[in-house]
Amino acid sequence: QVQLVESGGGPVQAGGSLRLSCAASGRTFSMYWMGWFRQAPGKEREFVAAIRWSGGSTYYADSVKGRFTISRDNAKNTVYLQMNSLEPEDTAVYYCAADINSGSYYGREYNYDYWGQGTQVTVSS
């Protein structure tokens, strides 16, 4: 199994930046995709970004493209989400997820096998 622990969330003013971290432990050698999802109050959980563990190919939701950057440090078993130019609409609980089954649908929740506890990001204006 894989355990995921997010950190780095908190309150931030509009236009500011945050960097979220997701530390993975356990069977990290089997990880294929790592993804970030978010869920705002009253809304469905939505895809934010994904990265292939080997190779580092990245994919983003249109709503965050150009503002957010996903990256990973394989040696540290950690994935990051750098969030710039934050807007109130970015307010949500952000979840880190890991796929160990080489799934193709990196933007879908069902593609992932393990999830972190989530970290709150609150953007005020």
Side-chain angles (χ1 to χ4, degrees):
Q1 60 180 335
V2 176
Q3 296 81 42
L4 305 172
V5 179
E6 302 101 330
S7 62
V12 63
Q13 294 184 359
S17 299
L18 285 175
R19 188 179 74 160
L20 305 183
S21 298
C22 175
S25 61
R27 295 183 177 273
T28 57
F29 279 80
S30 63
M31 294 192 300
Y32 190 77
W33 290 105
M34 294 290 292
W36 286 98
F37 289 75
R38 67 185 183 185
Q39 187 166 21
K43 293 187 176 181
E44 300 288 330
R45 188 176 301 181
E46 65 176 350
F47 168 74
V48 176
I51 187 168
R52 188 168 176 173
W53 197 244
S54 297
S57 299
T58 59
Y59 301 89
Y60 298 92
D62 289 341
S63 60
V64 306
K65 191 173 298 183
R67 299 188 298 122
F68 292 10
T69 302
I70 187 171
S71 62
R72 86 277 189 266
D73 187 330
N74 296 63
K76 296 181 178 180
N77 292 321
T78 300
V79 63
Y80 305 95
L81 185 67
Q82 178 66 46
M83 305 185 294
N84 298 326
S85 301
L86 284 162
E87 304 169 352
E89 292 73 22
D90 296 315
T91 294
V93 176
Y94 284 71
Y95 297 91
C96 177
D99 164 44
I100 64 171
N101 292 311
S102 302
S104 298
Y105 297 93
Y106 57 83
R108 305 294 182 87
E109 293 181 46
Y110 63 73
N111 189 68
Y112 296 87
D113 305 287
Y114 299 98
W115 294 80
Q117 83 288 352
T119 185
Q120 177 71 50
V121 173
T122 303
V123 184
S124 62
S125 60

